[in-house]
């Protein structure tokens, strides 16, 4: 086992990226299991300082070797080494955000209880990678350099070859079909994600999908359709007899006559307020801004001005676009955004689904360095559902600075660009994170609205 660990030393750094593509966050509690553990943990710990690691095996000699190895590379303070059998782990339910087991098919076919234990100790929203292989990013020259010796060592240890049909049967007998998929990228891997069953409802209006009350201050964040949502929702609410103010606390394109029946551009807040009272009585829907650039961008109002308007009950609904994304479907905020009024009662965090499964690049992602920091992805890494879930639920992600009393509703736009199954899996990845203020997720296509219905997902619990 020590010989295998040393032989694979150059492979482990190349397992980091595919691992992070599945995990999608740069912090959390990680458990690595089995007699081939250690190297994977070292590679991850060297790259991500906010992760906490535990390595488990039942062989004292191998654990002693690992302790020395972690000490030699300065990681001993961040990695706990624990002696335990794999089919009866000593940790409470939900202890870890990620569980890793390499060389798994040596063990799990003979002792499937290991899978049950992995699932038990996973936290809700957690991910387990169970299997074997070199990973999809390891260069051929590294694989070719160790392949023959690795096969000899694995055969000596007692490698067992397992077919995909055997794996599917195993998952079925362990009631893990729904929670697991089999990947053949860079080996054969079971990707287990701990999630709950969601309830789905189809609705015909945005106000239903967002479950709006009689009076709301709504702030729109993220990428992939904020301005379309801004004016589509305003039109719907006006037709329902509500008075609506649309605005921005950053910048938006100048709206057309189809977007808004009245546009007020006024830098003086007292004059703006006077005009707003007059015009909304006539038009029912007014868009207000502080100024307009030569490029046709409206300059936003101050957030406390919107708080003041809200107290005056000039309109039932104020809808504010609170950040920019450069027209791209996904983003992470910089330190001074989004700009959200404290009176905001509902935060809608948007992501365009053309970003799902796309390589992380400036073509699809805004503030790419911040996305890399939060998710652990590298440039060119695949934007997975777990990465999107991280951006939507982490305090420094899209929902940064949301008022503590505000509801948060993720909205997946352009759902027509992906399959129903992928959209549901993404929704589940978000709901599985159990964010205390996210109780529902909306998926739909604003460019086809209102011709197509919206899907609203709730946790059945």
């Amino acid at each position: 086992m020590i010989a295998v660990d040393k032989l694979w030393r150059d492979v482990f750094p190349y397992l980091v990226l595919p691992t992070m593509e599945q995990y999608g966050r740069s912090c959390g509690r990680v458990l690595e299991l089995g007699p081939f553990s250690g190297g994977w943990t070292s590679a991850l710990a060297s790259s991500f300082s906010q992760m906490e690691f535990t390595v488990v095996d039942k062989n004292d000699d191998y654990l002693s070797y690992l302790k020395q190895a972690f000490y030699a590379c300065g990681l001993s303070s961040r990695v706990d080494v624990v002696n335990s059998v794999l089919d009866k782990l000593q940790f409470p339910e939900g202890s870890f955000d990620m569980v890793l087991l390499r060389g798994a098919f040596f063990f799990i076919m003979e002792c499937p209880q290991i899978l049950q234990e992995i699932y038990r100790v996973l936290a809700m929203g957690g991910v387990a990678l169970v299997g074997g292989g070199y990973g999809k990013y390891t260069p051929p020259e590294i694989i070719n350099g160790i392949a023959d010796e690795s096969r000899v060592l694995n055969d000596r240890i007692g490698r067992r070859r397992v077919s995909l049909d055997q794996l599917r049967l195993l998952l079925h007998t362990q009631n893990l079909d729904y929670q697991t998929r089999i990947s053949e990228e860079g080996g054969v891997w079971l990707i287990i994600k701990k999630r709950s069953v969601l309830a789905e409802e189809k609705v015909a209006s945005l106000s239903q999908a967002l479950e709006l009350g009689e009076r709301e201050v709504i702030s729109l964040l993220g990428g992939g359709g904020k301005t379309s949502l801004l004016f589509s929702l305003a039109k719907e609410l006006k037709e329902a007899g509500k008075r609506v103010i649309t605005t921005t606390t950053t910048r938006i394109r100048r709206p057309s006559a189809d977007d808004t029946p009245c546009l007020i551009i006024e830098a003086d807040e007292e004059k703006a307020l006077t005009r707003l009272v007059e015009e909304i009585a006539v038009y029912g829907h007014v868009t207000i801004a502080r100024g307009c650039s030569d490029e046709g961008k409206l300059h936003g109002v101050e957030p406390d001005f919107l708080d003041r308007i809200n107290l005056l009950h000039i309109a039932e609904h104020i809808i504010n676009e609170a950040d920019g994304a450069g027209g791209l479907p996904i983003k992470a905020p910089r330190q001074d955004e989004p700009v959200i009024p404290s009176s905001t009662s509902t935060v809608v965090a948007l992501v365009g689904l053309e970003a799902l499964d796309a390589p992380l690049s400036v073509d699809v992602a805004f503030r790419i360095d911040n996305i890399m920091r939060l998710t652990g992805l590298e440039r060119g890494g695949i934007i997975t559902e777990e990465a999107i879930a991280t951006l939507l639920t982490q305090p420094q992600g899209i929902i940064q600075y949301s008022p503590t009393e505000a509801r948060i509703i993720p909205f997946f736009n352009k759902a027509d660009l992906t399959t129903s199954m992928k959209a549901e899996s993404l929704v589940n990845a978000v709901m599985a994170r159990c964010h205390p203020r996210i109780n529902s997720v909306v998926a739909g296509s604003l460019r086809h609205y209102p011709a197509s219905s919206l899907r609203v997902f709730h946790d059945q619990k």
Side-chain angles (χ1 to χ4, degrees), residues 258-306:
D258 290 334
D259 292 327
T260 184
C262 178
L263 173 61
I264 297 173
I265 300 176
E266 177 56 69
D268 186 289
E269 288 189 358
E270 295 306 318
K271 291 180 180 179
L273 196 57
T274 300
R275 287 194 60 191
L276 186 59
V277 172
E278 295 172 350
E279 304 289 13
I280 202 163
V282 176
Y283 295 101
H285 171 205
V286 174
T287 299
I288 189 166
R290 182 169 47 85
C292 186
S293 69
D294 293 339
E295 296 79 26
K297 289 279 190 177
L298 297 185
H299 295 165
V301 300
E302 294 297 323
D304 57 359
F305 182 52
L306 294 184

Side-chain angles (χ1 to χ4, degrees), residues 284-451:
H285 171 205
V286 174
T287 299
I288 189 166
R290 182 169 47 85
C292 186
S293 69
D294 293 339
E295 296 79 26
K297 289 279 190 177
L298 297 185
H299 295 165
V301 300
E302 294 297 323
D304 57 359
F305 182 52
L306 294 184
D307 295 332
R308 180 183 174 192
I309 293 172
N310 180 55
L311 291 174
L312 295 174
H313 291 183
I314 296 169
E316 282 78 26
H317 292 88
I318 300 171
I319 314 172
N320 171 50
E321 186 167 324
D323 67 0
L328 297 173
I330 195 167
K331 71 165 294 184
R334 66 188 180 196
Q335 190 171 5
D336 61 347
E337 61 176 356
V339 184
I340 307 178
S342 61
S343 57
T344 295
S345 55
T346 297
V347 169
V348 183
L350 286 91
V351 172
L353 288 188
E354 66 266 49
L356 180 62
D357 293 333
L360 180 61
S361 72
V362 295
D363 295 328
V364 296
F366 195 61
R367 311 230 188 277
I368 189 171
D369 289 342
N370 290 347
I371 293 176
M372 292 167 63
R373 174 177 54 82
L374 287 168
T375 65
L377 294 179
E378 299 176 5
R379 287 180 185 268
I382 300 302
I383 303 173
T384 60
E385 58 189 42
E386 296 300 332
I388 293 174
T390 294
L391 292 174
L392 284 167
T393 58
Q394 287 296 307
Q396 294 78 37
I398 294 170
I399 60 173
Q400 182 170 248
Y401 304 140
S402 295
T404 56
E405 299 302 316
R407 299 180 304 132
I408 299 172
I409 304 176
F411 191 118
F412 293 123
N413 188 25
K414 300 185 183 177
D416 54 308
L417 296 182
T418 189
T419 65
S420 176
M421 185 178 296
K422 281 193 173 185
E424 290 174 19
S425 184
L426 176 56
V427 169
N428 210 324
V430 173
M431 295 296 284
R433 299 295 180 91
C434 299
H435 191 284
R437 287 188 286 142
I438 297 177
N439 296 311
S440 64
V441 178
V442 179
S445 179
L446 291 170
R447 60 182 175 178
H448 296 306
Y449 179 80

Side-chain angles (χ1 to χ4, degrees), residues 61-114:
D61 290 339
Y62 187 65
L63 293 178
S64 177
Y65 159 76
L66 288 182
K67 287 179 181 179
Q68 294 176 22
F70 291 138
Y71 178 81
C73 59
L75 296 174
S76 56
S77 63
R78 295 181 50 212
V79 183
D80 287 333
V81 178
V82 176
N83 187 307
S84 173
V85 293
L86 305 189
D87 58 349
K88 196 172 183 179
L89 297 171
Q90 60 187 263
F91 310 106
E93 182 175 348
S95 294
F96 297 96
D97 301 298
M98 180 162 61
V99 179
L100 307 172
L101 176 54
R102 193 176 66 84
F105 305 133
F106 283 87
F107 324 108
I108 62 174
M109 299 306 295
E110 298 296 335
C111 188
Q113 179 62 27
I114 294 173

Side-chain angles (χ1 to χ4, degrees), residues 222-253:
K226 291 190 302 293
T227 306
S228 294
L229 179 57
L230 178 76
F231 293 117
S232 294
L233 179 57
K235 181 178 180 180
E236 178 187 298
L237 290 169
K238 181 192 173 187
E239 290 175 350
K242 307 291 186 180
R243 295 168 298 170
V244 187
I245 297 168
T246 47
T247 188
T248 182
T249 47
T250 53
R251 297 198 309 165
I252 58 171
R253 62 169 171 79

